[in-house]
Amino acid sequence: MEYVPDARQQLILCCECGTAIPPNPANMCVNCVRSIVDITEGIPKQATVHWCKNCERYLQPPITWMSCDLESRELLALCLKKLKGLVKVRLVDAGFIWTEPHSRRIKVKLTIQKEVFAATILQQTFEVEYVVASMMCPDCTRVMAQNTWRAKVQVRQKVDHQRTFFYLEQLILKHNAHQETINIVEVKGGLDFQYAHRAHAIKMVEFLGSTVPTRSKSSEQLISSDEHTATANFKFTYAVELIPICKDDLVVMPRKTANSLGHISPLVLCARVGSAVHVIDFKTLQVTEITGLTYWRHEDITPICSMRDLKKFYVVDVELVGPRFGKYALADVTVQRLSDVGKNDNVIIVRSHLGNILNFGDLVQGYDLQTANINSDTFDKLNPDDVPSVVLVKKGYAERRRKRKQRNWKLKSLNKDDGDLVPKKQDEERKVADFEAFLRDLEEDPELRQGVNLYHDSNFVARPDAGEAMVDDDEEGDDAPEVPLEELLNELAIGGDSDVDEEMAE
């Protein structure tokens, strides 16, 4: 076996302190190099980071505000950009040092390298402390101040009820279309949505146009201008008018307009309102659509009866006579006014589309055209032989049973500002009645519930006298419709959400 001697490393003495060190181009030890050269020179050891306490965003100079979590990569990148001297050195490592969250201090540990002499690279680790200074961002400043909106969307509908706005409110909540809204003001006849940017208002106008037929107009108002820089500040207003036709409305149109829509009857019922108005001829089950462009072009298409004109009738007989279309079936229905039941034998035979829904002994709601006060030139020009005495709209239920029932679900509502409008007691009662009618529509129409989020009510308690109520209901007929449990959502409680306010549907 051949003997191999150990190779000993040659050492030299540091030219400054005389310590034995391995040879290097500087002939100096690390401590002496650090005492002579400071590679952290020019890098600030303290800096300031601006933070908005309202939206919890950090300022990235010059004007950008970004959301960052504590000890995140985004916050670390923002802190490193505050250090101007880092461009002269090589950054090896960076990381956070834990600090108390309420101390308003952020500490970052940095490791850098720099060539100090020829072929001599020095590495050094140091700490930088950042002071978190509170500063309100421009968006929050506009929200906190008054009359600082840049764009407004005024939504109006020329009807005597608010069912459309209740449904529109649920659509906005379902699609989170209110996120950029800084304020929602409730005014007479509609709502005002205020925004900090014009683009957000245009986005809301497009959303409204995709959900219901609308027409809109825009205007602008000059706030200030600078002649030297050729800049100006404007306030933009978008007036959006919703089509004044609602579900279950009785609509009349001239014969010429009806022929252009597929030779449908001039007197039709509104079955559904979506991106277009779906109407049905209750005599033939013919269905057609009225788009917003068609309605605004032919303004002689007018609703003559709405939900407030509905009367209750008692079903005496139902005889199917014709075709079926979806849930509808053509039938001759014999009805009697509820006020005439037990007093006389005056019955009315009408052609209706509710043949699959109605049975003997049911209650049905409809429009009594014999006693209704209709002010329409188009309706007066119709042939009297084509105008029925009664138009049946939907199945009715006992009011006594409806009031007694407690709902196990609830809706959410937008956080609205009443503004300068002080509602009268009569208006408040009418609003409560409209909201109750909207809730009943949700219970009766599964298709309407598809655009609404229904939440399970954790405060719901079954009444102890439910058994007695069930016996009474069985004596009166079929139970009132209810929302199935599988359609209810479990509510996710998020603290600090001021945009959505819960409202019990009682």
Side-chain angles (χ1 to χ4, degrees):
M1 173 179 284
E2 184 179 358
Y3 172 74
V4 179
D6 296 336
R8 295 184 179 181
Q9 185 180 12
Q10 299 295 327
L11 300 178
I12 63 173
L13 297 179
C14 175
C15 63
E16 292 291 336
C17 62
T19 305
I21 59 173
N24 59 68
N27 295 328
M28 298 172 62
C29 63
V30 176
N31 295 331
C32 294
V33 173
R34 288 179 178 175
S35 63
I36 298 176
V37 181
D38 183 14
I39 62 175
T40 64
E41 185 179 2
I43 302 177
K45 305 302 186 297
Q46 288 186 345
T48 302
V49 177
H50 296 284
W51 174 73
C52 179
K53 63 180 180 179
N54 293 325
C55 60
E56 297 184 353
R57 295 186 299 174
Y58 292 87
L59 174 62
Q60 181 177 356
I63 58 173
T64 305
W65 290 82
M66 56 186 301
S67 299
C68 303
D69 296 331
L70 289 177
E71 300 187 3
S72 62
R73 297 178 59 183
E74 294 80 6
L75 183 57
L76 181 61
L78 187 145
C79 293
L80 294 179
K81 291 180 181 179
K82 286 280 187 177
L83 305 178
K84 299 181 180 179
L86 286 180
V87 296
K88 300 179 180 180
V89 297
R90 180 172 178 264
L91 182 63
V92 178
D93 188 22
F96 288 100
I97 300 177
W98 185 88
T99 56
E100 180 67 30
H102 301 287
S103 64
R104 293 288 184 262
R105 297 292 187 274
I106 298 176
K107 292 184 178 181
V108 179
K109 183 179 180 181
L110 303 178
T111 302
I112 60 175
Q113 291 181 351
K114 184 178 181 181
E115 185 177 2
V116 293
F117 301 111
T120 302
I121 298 177
L122 181 63
Q123 178 173 312
Q124 189 172 347
T125 302
F126 64 101
E127 297 178 3
V128 178
E129 182 179 3
Y130 296 87
V131 178
V132 180
S134 297
M135 177 181 178
M136 190 171 292
C137 65
D139 294 337
C140 294
T141 303
R142 296 190 187 100
V143 173
M144 294 302 176
Q146 296 181 355
N147 301 325
T148 56
W149 53 269
R150 292 294 182 87
K152 178 194 290 186
V153 179
Q154 298 176 339
V155 186
R156 302 291 186 270
Q157 187 182 31
K158 298 178 181 179
V159 293
D160 58 350
H161 57 82
Q162 299 186 18
R163 287 192 306 164
T164 304
F165 287 99
F166 290 137
Y167 179 65
L168 188 64
E169 180 179 358
Q170 299 304 318
L171 287 178
I172 293 175
L173 289 172
K174 184 179 180 66
H175 296 87
N176 291 326
H178 63 290
Q179 287 184 342
E180 292 86 5
T181 306
I182 62 175
N183 192 20
I184 302 176
V185 182
E186 189 173 6
V187 297
K188 186 176 181 180
L191 298 173
D192 287 349
F193 297 86
Q194 298 177 357
Y195 297 90
H197 301 284
R198 182 185 181 185
H200 297 161
I202 296 176
K203 185 178 179 181
M204 172 59 76
V205 174
E206 294 175 351
F207 171 78
L208 296 175
S210 64
T211 53
V212 292
T214 62
R215 68 174 177 178
S216 60
K217 296 181 180 179
S218 61
S219 62
E220 60 184 27
Q221 178 184 2
L222 179 64
I223 304 300
S224 62
S225 62
D226 189 350
E227 298 179 355
H228 301 284
T229 59
T231 58
N233 294 326
F234 291 91
K235 279 189 175 183
F236 301 92
T237 302
Y238 296 87
V240 180
E241 182 181 356
L242 306 182
I243 189 170
I245 300 178
C246 303
K247 184 176 179 293
D248 298 334
D249 283 358
L250 185 62
V251 182
V252 66
M253 65 187 77
R255 176 66 64 178
K256 182 178 179 181
T257 305
N259 293 337
S260 65
L261 295 176
H263 295 274
I264 199 171
S265 173
L267 198 62
V268 292
L269 273 175
C270 177
R272 185 171 64 89
V273 178
S275 57
V277 177
H278 300 260
V279 295
I280 182 171
D281 184 0
F282 48 87
K283 293 183 178 180
T284 61
L285 298 186
Q286 183 181 355
V287 179
T288 189
E289 294 183 357
I290 301 177
T291 62
L293 183 61
T294 303
Y295 176 81
W296 303 120
R297 183 184 303 171
H298 306 88
E299 294 190 359
D300 47 7
I301 304 176
T302 56
I304 56 176
C305 293
S306 62
M307 58 166 288
R308 300 190 187 278
D309 302 320
L310 288 174
K311 306 295 182 182
K312 287 189 177 181
F313 298 86
Y314 181 79
V315 179
V316 179
D317 186 24
V318 178
E319 181 182 356
L320 298 176
V321 295
R324 301 171 183 266
F325 180 77
K327 63 179 181 180
Y328 302 118
L330 209 59
D332 285 337
V333 184
T334 304
V335 297
Q336 186 180 17
R337 295 183 180 91
L338 196 62
S339 58
D340 294 342
V341 175
K343 297 180 181 179
N344 53 55
D345 296 334
N346 297 333
V347 295
I348 305 172
I349 301 176
V350 296
R351 182 65 57 90
S352 176
H353 60 295
L354 303 177
N356 279 345
I357 302 175
L358 300 179
N359 295 302
F360 168 75
D362 288 344
L363 292 179
V364 61
Q365 292 181 324
Y367 300 117
D368 191 352
L369 300 184
Q370 289 183 346
T371 60
N373 184 12
I374 300 176
N375 185 13
S376 173
D377 295 337
T378 306
F379 180 79
D380 296 337
K381 295 178 182 179
L382 296 180
N383 187 358
D385 297 334
D386 297 335
V387 179
S389 301
V390 174
V391 178
L392 302 183
V393 178
K394 60 181 179 179
K395 184 177 180 180
Y397 300 92
E399 190 70 20
R400 171 169 161 262
R401 187 184 348 161
R402 276 290 186 89
K403 290 183 178 180
R404 181 169 49 205
K405 187 183 65 173
Q406 183 182 5
R407 296 182 175 90
N408 61 343
W409 52 274
K410 60 183 179 180
L411 298 175
K412 289 184 176 181
S413 63
L414 296 172
N415 187 14
K416 298 184 288 291
D417 185 9
D418 294 337
D420 298 334
L421 179 64
V422 179
K424 300 179 181 179
K425 182 178 180 180
Q426 183 179 1
D427 296 336
E428 287 291 337
E429 295 176 353
R430 183 178 301 178
K431 182 178 179 181
V432 173
D434 292 341
F435 186 68
E436 177 65 23
F438 172 67
L439 297 180
R440 294 181 180 183
D441 289 340
L442 290 178
E443 293 175 335
E444 298 172 5
D445 192 351
E447 187 176 358
L448 186 64
R449 293 197 297 266
Q450 293 180 1
V452 178
N453 286 338
L454 304 179
Y455 296 90
H456 178 72
D457 187 4
S458 58
N459 298 325
F460 171 75
V461 179
R463 297 177 57 179
D465 57 345
E468 299 178 2
M470 187 178 300
V471 175
D472 296 339
D473 291 347
D474 292 339
E475 294 177 358
E476 295 181 4
D478 297 335
D479 290 338
E482 296 182 354
V483 179
L485 290 177
E486 56 269 16
E487 296 186 14
L488 302 182
L489 302 176
N490 291 326
E491 185 178 6
L492 178 62
I494 302 178
D497 187 4
S498 60
D499 293 334
V500 179
D501 182 27
E502 298 180 4
E503 182 171 347
M504 293 287 295
E506 298 180 352

